[in-house]
Amino acid sequence: MRIRHLPETLINQIAAGEVIERPAAAVKELVENSLDAGATQIDVDIREGGKSLIIVDDNGSGMNREELVAALDRHATSKLLGDDLLNIQFMGFRGEALPSIASVSRLKIATRMKDGEGWEVTVEGGKKEMAAPSSQARGTRIEVRDLFYATPARLKFLKSERAEALAIKEMLQRLAMANPEAGFRLTIDGKQSFYHAPVSDPQMRLADILGRDFGQNSFMIDTEREGIRLSGFAALPTYNRKTAQHQYLFVNRRPVRDKLIHGCVRAAYADVLAKDRHAAVALFIDLPSSLVDMNVHPAKAEVRFQDPGLVRGLIISALKHGVHQHGFQTSSTLSVAALGHLKAENQNAPALPYRSPSYSMNAGLAEAVRNSYMPQMGLQEMQMPSARFEEAPVAAIPEHFPLGAARAQIHENYIIAQNEQGVVIIDQHAAHERLVYERFKTQMEKHGIEKQGLLTPELVELDEADAERLLSRADMLAKLGLEIESFGIGTIAVQTIPALLAKANISKLIKDLADELTENDEANGLEERLNHILSTMACHGSVRSGRRLSVDEMNALLRQMEETPLSGQCNHGRPTYIKLSLRDIEKLFGRT
Ligand code: ADP
Ligand code: MG
């Protein structure tokens, strides 16, 4: 074996293996170049998932002849101002993209500087032709044909055209989110996929891309710590998603993939989202370039912060703060969805059945609500309705409270209240569970959980492993007000319980906790584990669905909800209440 120096084209192809992983990566590099060139309009045109053709056309600065020729040389860049890799002001800096793309495709670049002449050059499989005059009007247009034709192995690994086109679309949307002042157009196989006009407000661009729903159901973040600025938008917990895909992070305007963000979002929303649901966020971190290393990954898709702990803390506390501040809100799309559903139901509702005369006992809203579902019930239920109505002394409870005045309880779980805007329907169990949970947490922070001794210890029989597992956690449980001891094999004696759980079914609570510990034993940190246990306990301490409440009790619950952080959702991220405005209701009846 002899050592040899590899030819230039091969070197570039090796680099291309890392930098240009798939067509979307080529699009990313080319569009980043356009952004670096100050373009305010970028048009991307792809065919067959970018495999046969990618065109990126910009109105940026353009290049003169000399620059055009140099741009295709490896490690030639106009963007590293000194020799300091920590001083990065542009998207590019490695001078690798163009030669890499050129080495694996048929490339043509046409460009013109303002007040200069147009020039173009073509490269095929790394072989450069002489630069020739071009009719290019302004900016730069780059055509990449037959990407990877020179590296058939890579070509084989590409996914379907659709999948590659989708990857390109997502890539371009990320770049568009970070650069609202530029217009972006994507055309796929001759059909326009999207156009985002230039806007001055980053929020508008986000709403453009993530949908109006996200805009209406998110809160703004803008905070700074030690020279690091964090801004962006995060969704209300009730607006949650099945995957963590909608979590976008931009560092100095660069879209980055970073596991850091998923962990932060999880931690911040832990209290308000079920484990298999995810929040949508778009966060921008801006910091002096000396505090972050961009040169970690050939495709520049990852970064390394000098102080990751600081960034993590900043993100988590900002998200948590926002979630708390807006915890009372629930997603507006919920009521819209509910309405849509109601409407659909109504359309095929059966004709109104026989109405018993006694049925007109109540006037007002309560009856309207009751009418809305009574037609679907059989006669039997009509005579013994499970709904219960009680006129509340409305004057005593002003309707200007956000959740209004309780007017009725239906199906022993839903409170119907009336406020100035319309109707509020509250899930009493979900709401109360949240209240108890928040009370637990406040107690924890202040002076520890209040406990209450039992006159005689309650004995709970479990299987041996469950009993052991609980006993091994006895110290932790004691801190939560639950003191337990062994009482022979498989039996546990409960000595004290948290005061808030005075009315709970203790043996059921213990069994649920045993299950909870199996599921969550080692995987989570202590705090997360404690919170899970508290949340399980809260569920046991809350009024069950099925319990009848007096009007006073209902109103007390509503007032407490208004004062409790995060009361807009239960511990599993389900909403605790839904509002229907009078307008919504009028729409249902076709009055508007
Ligand atoms: P890098 O972006 O890391 O500098 P590239 O290989 O992507 O490396 O590009 C090489 C050089 O070509 C850039 O530094 C820039 O000077 C020039 N260039 C590339 N694309 C454009 C463009 N669209 N408009 C103006 N100049 C460009
Ligand atoms: Mg570049």
Side-chain angles (χ1 to χ4, degrees):
M1 267 204 301
R2 296 248 316 271
I3 292 185
R4 67 170 180 136
H5 288 281
L6 299 177
E8 180 83 8
T9 303
L10 203 54
I11 293 176
N12 285 330
Q13 286 180 348
I14 290 171
E18 291 182 324
V19 183
I20 312 297
E21 205 192 338
R22 60 194 296 192
V27 171
K28 169 176 175 289
E29 292 295 336
L30 297 175
V31 171
E32 286 184 352
N33 282 346
S34 300
L35 290 166
D36 281 344
T40 56
Q41 180 57 43
I42 301 169
D43 292 344
V44 178
D45 201 329
I46 60 163
R47 306 236 153 172
E48 295 173 50
K51 292 182 211 179
S52 62
L53 178 66
I54 297 170
I55 301 176
V56 176
D57 194 351
D58 71 45
N59 64 353
S61 64
M63 289 173 269
N64 62 26
R65 181 182 175 165
E66 232 176 298
E67 287 169 336
L68 174 61
V69 173
L72 286 160
D73 290 340
R74 193 170 155 72
H75 303 314
T77 177
S78 56
K79 301 172 192 173
L80 263 185
L81 304 172
D83 290 340
D84 183 0
L85 274 177
L86 279 180
N87 180 14
I88 284 169
Q89 311 294 339
F90 293 97
M91 303 290 279
F93 57 88
R94 297 170 60 107
E96 272 184 323
L98 289 184
S100 296
I101 295 172
S103 73
V104 296
S105 71
R106 301 179 226 272
L107 178 74
K108 177 176 166 191
I109 307 178
T111 184
R112 181 197 196 102
M113 281 179 97
K114 199 163 173 270
D115 307 325
E117 290 156 17
W119 288 97
E120 64 183 50
V121 73
T122 53
V123 196
E124 211 174 302
K127 277 198 278 308
K128 224 187 304 182
E129 308 272 307
M130 287 278 284
S134 157
S135 59
Q136 174 76 5
R138 48 109 191 82
T140 303
R141 175 187 166 95
I142 300 192
E143 292 180 20
V144 181
R145 280 177 204 278
D146 306 325
L147 185 63
F148 300 129
Y149 89 96
T151 47
R154 178 54 58 92
L155 198 54
K156 264 201 289 200
F157 278 100
L158 294 186
K159 302 222 173 87
S160 70
E161 276 174 29
R162 259 194 53 161
E164 294 299 340
L166 189 67
I168 289 174
K169 182 173 172 185
E170 281 173 358
M171 173 68 72
L172 201 57
Q173 284 185 323
R174 279 170 191 259
L175 287 162
M177 283 193 233
N179 297 281
E181 64 293 330
F184 286 82
R185 185 192 318 275
L186 174 64
T187 308
I188 301 179
D189 295 319
K191 259 181 59 194
Q192 177 166 309
S193 166
F194 65 69
Y195 173 64
H196 298 303
V199 285
S200 52
D201 178 2
Q203 185 181 3
M204 277 172 66
R205 177 58 63 80
L206 284 180
D208 236 17
I209 294 175
L210 298 176
R212 260 189 37 211
D213 274 4
F214 178 75
Q216 286 168 354
N217 293 294
S218 56
F219 53 84
M220 195 172 91
I221 291 171
D222 197 350
T223 171
E224 196 176 324
R225 194 186 289 173
E226 294 176 40
I228 304 181
R229 174 158 177 233
L230 174 72
S231 59
F233 292 85
L236 296 173
T238 41
Y239 181 77
N240 51 45
R241 300 287 189 92
K242 257 209 278 307
T243 69
Q245 221 183 342
H246 302 277
Q247 296 177 352
Y248 301 95
L249 179 65
F250 304 89
V251 176
N252 288 351
R253 297 277 205 112
R254 187 191 296 279
V256 297
R257 242 185 297 133
D258 200 317
K259 291 199 196 71
L260 173 102
I261 185 166
H262 300 307
C264 290
V265 174
R266 238 173 72 91
Y269 284 77
D271 269 2
V272 290
L273 276 189
K275 261 181 260 153
D276 57 343
R277 303 295 299 180
H278 302 269
V281 304
L283 300 178
F284 297 84
I285 294 175
D286 291 285
L287 73 180
S289 64
S290 60
L291 298 182
V292 58
D293 185 357
M294 296 286 184
N295 187 28
V296 186
H297 190 266
K300 299 162 288 177
E302 283 165 27
V303 298
R304 196 168 292 145
F305 295 104
Q306 196 188 64
D307 187 349
L310 180 64
V311 176
R312 207 182 125 80
L314 182 65
I315 296 180
I316 294 181
S317 67
L319 285 176
K320 267 196 172 161
H321 181 76
V323 168
H324 276 253
Q325 263 196 330
H326 302 269
F328 184 63
Q329 276 173 37
T330 67
S331 161
S332 72
T333 42
L334 284 171
S335 56
V336 172
L339 262 181
H341 195 70
L342 256 174
K343 262 190 187 148
E345 294 254 291
N346 256 2
Q347 260 144 32
N348 19 6
L352 220 56
Y354 165 70
R355 285 173 63 125
S356 80
S358 70
Y359 183 56
S360 60
M361 61 186 186
N362 248 314
L365 175 79
E367 191 181 35
V369 170
R370 182 187 197 173
N371 279 339
S372 76
Y373 68 86
M374 286 306 272
Q376 274 125 50
M377 290 183 163
L379 188 61
Q380 226 183 345
E381 284 122 303
M382 280 180 61
Q383 281 161 348
M384 287 197 311
S386 63
R388 190 175 81 114
F389 298 102
E390 223 171 288
E391 282 292 335
V394 178
I397 303 133
E399 291 174 2
H400 63 251
F401 283 114
L403 294 181
R407 301 296 298 268
Q409 182 193 32
I410 58 170
H411 288 282
E412 274 81 38
N413 186 48
Y414 298 99
I415 300 171
I416 309 283
Q418 172 175 341
N419 67 5
E420 278 167 344
Q421 292 82 40
V423 182
V424 190
I425 306 172
I426 299 101
D427 178 335
Q428 76 185 34
H429 175 64
H432 198 241
E433 183 177 321
R434 168 54 71 182
L435 294 184
V436 175
Y437 182 48
E438 289 302 322
R439 234 173 279 165
F440 270 138
K441 288 207 302 185
T442 321
Q443 288 185 0
M444 276 279 272
E445 274 161 30
K446 288 204 177 125
H447 39 257
I449 300 231
E450 281 166 34
K451 62 185 178 201
Q452 169 180 324
L454 299 177
L455 286 177
T456 51
E458 173 136 350
L459 301 182
V460 182
E461 282 183 43
L462 297 160
D463 80 49
E464 220 181 306
D466 280 346
E468 279 313 308
R469 198 175 300 112
L470 278 168
L471 287 168
S472 72
R473 299 269 175 227
D475 285 352
M476 184 173 80
L477 294 173
K479 287 204 190 81
L480 301 178
L482 193 68
E483 288 173 11
I484 57 172
E485 273 172 20
S486 168
F487 196 84
I489 293 169
T491 304
I492 277 175
V494 181
Q495 314 278 1
T496 71
I497 56 169
L500 283 171
L501 301 189
K503 290 189 188 127
N505 176 336
I506 296 173
S507 106
K508 205 160 169 308
L509 167 70
I510 294 289
K511 285 176 184 149
D512 278 3
L513 284 178
D515 290 345
E516 170 70 36
L517 285 178
T518 348
E519 277 176 29
N520 273 300
D521 211 20
E522 306 307 330
N524 300 317
L526 181 64
E527 196 190 330
E528 207 171 329
R529 218 151 55 205
L530 284 179
N531 284 342
H532 271 295
I533 292 178
L534 284 181
S535 136
T536 304
M537 296 205 306
C539 184
H540 282 266
S542 59
V543 282
R544 297 266 133 195
S545 35
R547 227 196 82 200
R548 290 196 168 185
L549 299 180
S550 73
V551 170
D552 285 345
E553 282 175 313
M554 291 189 246
N555 277 313
L557 181 64
L558 302 190
R559 300 295 83 78
Q560 282 168 21
M561 280 174 74
E562 285 155 359
E563 285 161 13
T564 304
L566 302 177
S567 65
Q569 52 272 311
C570 76
N571 308 344
H572 313 290
R574 288 192 299 269
T576 53
Y577 68 87
I578 282 180
K579 284 184 179 174
L580 289 179
S581 71
L582 217 49
R583 255 187 68 88
D584 289 340
I585 296 172
E586 281 164 356
K587 262 194 230 150
L588 277 176
F589 286 100
R591 275 166 170 267
T592 53

